[in-house]
Amino acid sequence: MMTVPVPGATVGVVGGGQLGRMLAEAASPLGVDVVALDPTPDCPAVPPATAQVTAAFDDAEGVRELAERADVLTYEIELADPDLLESVAADADVEVHPTPDTLRTIQDKLVQNRALEDAGVPVPDFTAVDDADDLEAAFDDLGSPLMVKARTGGYDGRGNAPVESVAEAREAFDGLDGLVAEELVDFERELSVIAVRGDGETATFPVAENVHEDEILRESVVPARTSEDVREHATAVARDVLGALDGRGVFGIELFERETDDGTEILVNEIAPRPHNSGHYTIEGCHTSQFEQFARAVCGLPLGATGLRGPAVMANILGDPDAEKRPADLAGAPDALAKPGVSLHWYGKREVRPLRKMGHVTAVGADRETLLDRARAARDATGFE
Amino acid sequence: MMTVPVPGATVGVVGGGQLGRMLAEAASPLGVDVVALDPTPDCPAVPPATAQVTAAFDDAEGVRELAERADVLTYEIELADPDLLESVAADADVEVHPTPDTLRTIQDKLVQNRALEDAGVPVPDFTAVDDADDLEAAFDDLGSPLMVKARTGGYDGRGNAPVESVAEAREAFDGLDGLVAEELVDFERELSVIAVRGDGETATFPVAENVHEDEILRESVVPARTSEDVREHATAVARDVLGALDGRGVFGIELFERETDDGTEILVNEIAPRPHNSGHYTIEGCHTSQFEQFARAVCGLPLGATGLRGPAVMANILGDPDAEKRPADLAGAPDALAKPGVSLHWYGKREVRPLRKMGHVTAVGADRETLLDRARAARDATGFE
């Protein structure tokens, strides 16, 4: 392993959104600098990140400059280009974590599902779809509606749609090639586990329960309101997922909890090769946040303690559906901060877009139901969605 | 009260050391920018602070530039100039918190002691000293040795010396004018309380027990290892101190716990009109850190919850006595971070000076004695003092 000097290391991160921003906030105490590559000038990560390379995620010159300024490369967005990262890192003699191979696996949902299946990790039944015949066969085998996903290019629920007919799929995906069809899981709960691989060690964070609306995460409740057995089961599945992926880093693993006649099943829904929205609660909720772990992991430092300090609820703050608000319209921030035990994280985005993630609040210091009420009330108080 | 817009506010802070750095780290999630004025280029606060005004603390042009870029002014060092801040802030139509009057009171230890005495706050017996006769009288009245302090210019224990004779005082202070002599308190423990005033509300953090060596803070143990009654008493005294000071902000209040025939006495030793080294434990130890409170308070936002999340021990990392090390010599950082529940805060100082504060570690997640062992072991592992 190449040595990353701490303090004094610079992490080069492809993507300068809120994940890069919270990485930089967490890296600063460790004496680790962050340089972010992002096409948007004044991206959310900078400051607190030291500097920005303003370039497209797949811009060779930009990624080369990033590598030259960094001791290790990583990414906070799946749209990073694994081939480019691999070649540039080799030239600059730095490592990329998680590995470009892992990024390739995760970028293609069909490859991802097959890799998980090969590793013995439970996933929803799935099949590749490249034309109408494939899709018809999928309806026959896996039922209707199906959850259809674009193999590549989707993230955070984008590029996914439940469909009941070939025509519907054709409209949703602008054609039928490069898709994967999955059984639509009738789940009890959506759970997630943030799993981490460091230098020769792994760790998992407590299991979160995720409340989605229209495929967008609204709240995470921790610990998940299910049985201890199910939480242990979910954690074991997350560890198995980690076993199927290479390289140091943080992985957000989304899971379905499904009741069957044979008991509770845990199925892997999605994997993100980076810190995940459903792990934001770790900043206030755990001894070490997912962002500090990210910095520790990619630098090859020992991982921190992942224990839960107490129940925590995170609620996302989203742009209004018509995007009529401006960032400065967060006039309700004081009201949000007045709720007991509530922290605000504002991402510094220059522009509101419909349902764009603008920030989040986390509530700690009480029981989960009280915290859920407080987090929602704080979010509502901001005036955003 | 003038409105400070959040998000989007800029706090202008005189001083860009570790306190400014940790302020900026805590302000970033709130969407609050920090601009720091500091004479040292590449001062520790920047980044994560947005920008630096490179100027002496009392440089009128520099402070004016700071005020023009800020929505509110504050300071993280007692050497800030209250008259300059006052006039510049008036010109720029921004407020200064804590108020320049409070800074004036705290800058002069004689004025400070008198203000506290007038407010009914217990302080060690003291007297003004301007010549040898005054000092002789002080020995007669207050005993020997005396704790002699320069009225102005001292901080963090600098400018203080225990003396047993006029000759000794003359040598320690380069003359005998502008001093205050205090009875040397035979204390049981040194305690401290971080107290906060926001917009119409106040808060106190849990009581820390401070271990000093040669007047330099080495460790803080929280909760202080004394009785619950004494901790409540100390908190009540801190609240009284807050009552004697104007303006929003964070105050570090150092206390002596002394046993007398009439029970336990709590005396105020020193006040810092800013976050304090003995409050660094709040970052991991409390729901809201002293630095987030600092940002909230000076911006007039609601204060956060100050409850203790569990025992915490902080240990300072100091430069070696001969300052032969370089900052990059922190090769033991990985060993420090490998201790369970240990966080590292490295201040990014470019130069090691003898016993200079270079960083600190905080340990959480166990009982106090275990945490004290771990924090010391982590500190020792860094290779620094």
Side-chain angles (χ1 to χ4, degrees), chain B residues 199-218:
Chain B
D199 180 24
E201 57 175 333
T202 61
T204 54
F205 283 94
V207 181
E209 173 187 348
N210 300 316
V211 182
H212 287 86
E213 270 175 38
D214 301 328
E215 310 252 2
I216 294 175
L217 180 65
R218 295 313 313 259

Side-chain angles (χ1 to χ4, degrees), chain B residues 4 27 47-48 54 113 133 163-164 185 212 221 252 304-305 312 317 332 339 348:
Chain B
V4 176
T54 307
N113 276 357
D133 289 348
V163 301
E164 297 194 35
V185 177
H212 287 86
V221 178
I317 301 171
K339 316 278 177 210

Side-chain angles (χ1 to χ4, degrees), chain A residues 13-17 36-44 52-59 62 76-77 79 353 356:
Chain A
V13 58
V14 176
L37 178 145
D38 200 277
T40 307
D42 292 327
C43 70
Q52 175 172 2
V53 176
T54 307
F57 301 130
D58 59 357
D59 179 80
E76 53 96 276
I77 186 158
L79 302 176
R353 292 203 286 264
R356 187 183 201 192

Side-chain angles (χ1 to χ4, degrees), chain B residues 189-201:
Chain B
R189 282 176 201 84
E190 293 183 276
L191 307 176
S192 65
V193 174
I194 307 298
V196 195
R197 177 180 290 104
D199 180 24
E201 57 175 333

Side-chain angles (χ1 to χ4, degrees), chain A residues 6-7 21 25 28-31 47-48 50 284-285 287 296 301-303 305 309 327 330 333-334 337-338 341-346 364-365, chain B residues 6-7 21 25 28-31 47-48 50 284-285 287 296 301-303 305 309 327 330 333-334 337-338 341-346 364-365:
Chain A
V6 171
R21 182 183 179 105
E25 286 165 359
S28 173
L30 295 169
T50 316
E284 288 82 14
H287 287 300
R296 288 186 182 222
L301 292 166
L303 301 181
R309 308 197 70 185
L330 191 80
L337 288 166
V342 165
S343 303
L344 171 68
H345 295 260
W346 188 247
V364 297
Chain B
V6 171
R21 181 182 178 105
E25 286 165 358
S28 173
L30 295 170
T50 315
E284 288 82 12
H287 288 299
R296 288 185 182 223
L301 292 166
L303 300 180
R309 309 196 70 185
L330 191 79
L337 287 166
V342 166
S343 302
L344 170 68
H345 295 260
W346 188 247
V364 297

Side-chain angles (χ1 to χ4, degrees), chain A residues 1-75:
Chain A
M1 191 192 76
M2 296 180 206
T3 304
V4 177
V6 171
T10 298
V11 173
V13 58
V14 176
Q18 66 265 29
L19 302 179
R21 182 183 179 105
M22 290 186 272
L23 166 64
E25 286 165 359
S28 173
L30 295 169
V32 171
D33 285 339
V34 172
V35 176
L37 178 145
D38 200 277
T40 307
D42 292 327
C43 70
V46 186
T50 316
Q52 175 172 2
V53 176
T54 307
F57 301 130
D58 59 357
D59 179 80
E61 267 319 298
V63 175
R64 192 161 292 125
E65 185 187 339
L66 188 72
E68 278 160 11
R69 298 174 74 162
D71 297 293
V72 61
L73 286 176
T74 189
Y75 40 88

Side-chain angles (χ1 to χ4, degrees), chain B residues 5 50 78 89 130 141 166 179 215 231 241 243 281 301 357 361:
Chain B
T50 315
E78 287 88 331
D130 286 302
D141 292 348
V166 170
L179 303 178
E215 310 252 2
R231 291 196 294 262
V241 171
Y281 82 88
L301 292 166
K357 291 172 185 170
V361 290

